[in-house]
Amino acid sequence: MTSLGIPARGAATGTGDRSRPRAALPALCATQIVSWGIVYYAFPVLNPQITAATGWPAGATTAAFSLALVVSALAGIRVGRILDRRGPRAVMTVGSVLGVVSLLIVAAAPNVPVFIAGWALAGLAMAATFYQPAFAALTRWWAPDHVRALTVVTLAGGLASTVFAPLTATLADHLSWRHTYLVLAGVLAVVTVPAHALALRGPWPDAPTSPAHAAAGAAEVGRNRPFLLLAAAFTLSSFAMYAVVVALVPLLLERGYTTSQAAGALGIGGAGQTLGRTLYAALARRTTAAARTTTLIALGGFTSAAFAAVPGPYGLLIAVSVVAGMVRGNLTLLQATAITDRWGAAHYGRLSGLLAAPATTAAALAPFAGAALAVPLGGYAPLFFLLATVSTAAALIAPWTATGAVRRRSLRP
């Protein structure tokens, strides 16, 4: 941790009398792994078993999951405003409780409407516990060295699929999908609720400002051309990226691989995310924000095309999954720093909520759209080629997201 430039012991931020909770960083590392792993990554592993056991249409179960992401996108705007004013402790603690309750509802759902209601509640939990509130906490408490703290948390968060995709598959081999979700809900409760309630206590400092950013308010920034184009690029990229994540297991099942092999390929992508995030600081030192946005989104399209073009052997698919994970890992940090790179941290919560809303909505529609498009396209391989095209379109927009507000090309030493 200290190798990334984050002080190992002190609580001071180095900016006057502001202080950060000492346990916040390790707590957020743990809760991001568990929250993402259970609330998000367990679903693509369990969905084939859910549809087989219940007879519910795959389109209906996938639509329920997509609804959770739509709710998360809409709620994220309000959550961002609350974070700017009050900090993350109450938001993330309540979100953890909602996550546990939502999974209990999903596990007990007797029919599709109740299943959908459980996932709608899970969307509120996602908005309050996933990366957006964690990033807001780290950006404020660790300023001006927040990139290093963000890197640490996303390095940990990248392990979510690596840990929980295989773990979920193992549980599903011995338990029903309902009992698997009950076990996962228990893990979520034990880890995240006390961690958020106890580790995020501390004064919430005023947002740092600088002359370069003082004049621009959140409303003004949200209407300007670079912000709108950035939102468009992230929206297209998120649609493609999340469709790939959810469709990877069906793609490999379609090619004759077992559920465990498919889950393993999905999980190893998490290890790739962790590896990729170790490279982000070096990339940021050598590129402008717009240039790395273009490069990373384009690489995302390349890996989607590679999945479509490579039917095997399994080892080669694992290699593609690792590279795709590396790209996804860097894209997460790219989105986490996009606001501060261009407009500073004064309105980070609100602006990140506005930026994330259309991207998260696109991510929400991606699983449903992917499942729906795979049939007329003739399978999941053509779908992956289409997703590669979507990423290419996003990469073409990215060069126009530059702004003169911040001319910083590198991270602080």
Side-chain angles (χ1 to χ4, degrees):
M1 192 176 298
T2 55
S3 64
L4 290 168
I6 300 173
R9 296 187 308 158
T13 61
T15 52
D17 62 354
R18 293 188 296 155
S19 62
R20 62 174 77 113
R22 298 189 181 193
L25 187 58
L28 289 173
C29 288
T31 61
Q32 290 303 302
I33 293 174
V34 174
S35 296
W36 276 96
I38 291 175
V39 183
Y40 187 88
Y41 283 107
F43 175 78
V45 177
L46 290 176
N47 194 40
Q49 189 180 115
I50 293 171
T51 57
T54 61
W56 299 339
T61 57
T62 306
F65 184 69
S66 296
L67 175 63
L69 297 174
V70 171
V71 172
S72 174
L74 298 176
I77 298 173
R78 178 62 179 169
V79 167
R81 294 179 179 179
I82 296 172
L83 288 165
D84 279 340
R85 294 197 306 267
R86 301 181 183 178
R89 185 189 179 201
V91 168
M92 299 192 78
T93 303
V94 171
S96 293
V97 173
L98 291 178
V100 173
V101 174
S102 70
L103 292 186
L104 294 177
I105 295 173
V106 167
N111 50 48
V112 172
V114 176
F115 187 81
I116 291 172
W119 279 111
L121 185 62
L124 295 177
M126 291 176 182
T129 59
F130 277 11
Y131 277 142
Q132 181 187 338
F135 288 164
L138 296 172
T139 297
R140 187 74 64 90
W141 270 325
W142 263 261
D145 297 320
H146 56 281
V147 174
R148 290 162 176 80
L150 294 172
T151 301
V152 171
V153 167
T154 54
L155 284 173
L159 298 174
S161 63
T162 304
V163 173
F164 280 95
L167 176 60
T168 302
T170 300
L171 289 172
D173 286 340
H174 298 87
L175 302 171
S176 70
W177 70 269
R178 295 183 187 275
H179 287 105
T180 297
Y181 262 131
L182 289 176
V183 171
L184 294 175
V187 174
L188 188 69
V190 169
V191 175
T192 65
V193 175
H196 289 148
L198 299 176
L200 301 182
R201 292 183 296 181
W204 188 235
D206 294 332
T209 58
S210 71
H213 308 118
E220 178 184 348
V221 170
R223 292 191 299 266
N224 72 29
R225 182 171 175 266
F227 185 90
L228 295 175
L229 291 175
L230 184 65
F234 282 165
T235 298
L236 292 172
S237 176
S238 294
F239 178 88
M241 181 174 69
Y242 282 93
V244 165
V245 169
V246 176
L248 181 58
V249 169
L251 173 71
L252 297 186
L253 292 176
E254 185 178 77
R255 288 174 169 171
Y257 294 99
T258 67
T259 300
S260 295
Q261 287 176 317
L266 175 63
I268 200 66
Q273 290 183 49
T274 300
L275 176 61
R277 286 163 185 163
T278 65
L279 307 176
Y280 184 79
L283 177 65
R285 282 194 296 269
R286 292 167 173 80
T287 60
T288 64
R292 59 181 171 271
T293 301
T294 303
T295 301
L296 290 171
I297 292 176
L299 287 173
F302 173 79
T303 58
S304 297
F307 275 126
V310 177
Y314 184 67
L316 184 55
L317 287 169
I318 289 293
V320 174
S321 185
V322 170
V323 175
M326 292 175 66
V327 175
R328 289 200 306 272
N330 277 281
L331 282 169
T332 301
L333 279 170
L334 179 75
Q335 294 182 29
T337 57
I339 297 298
T340 50
D341 282 345
R342 293 168 172 83
W343 299 284
H347 306 287
Y348 182 88
R350 182 176 178 184
L351 289 175
S352 64
L354 290 171
L355 186 65
T360 305
T361 301
L365 298 174
F368 178 77
L373 289 170
V375 175
L377 288 173
Y380 280 90
L383 171 66
F384 274 64
F385 277 123
L386 176 62
L387 296 174
T389 302
V390 173
S391 291
T392 300
L396 294 174
I397 295 172
W400 303 97
T401 64
T403 174
V406 180
R407 295 179 174 84
R408 181 178 57 202
R409 292 176 59 94
S410 64
L411 304 178
R412 290 178 180 268

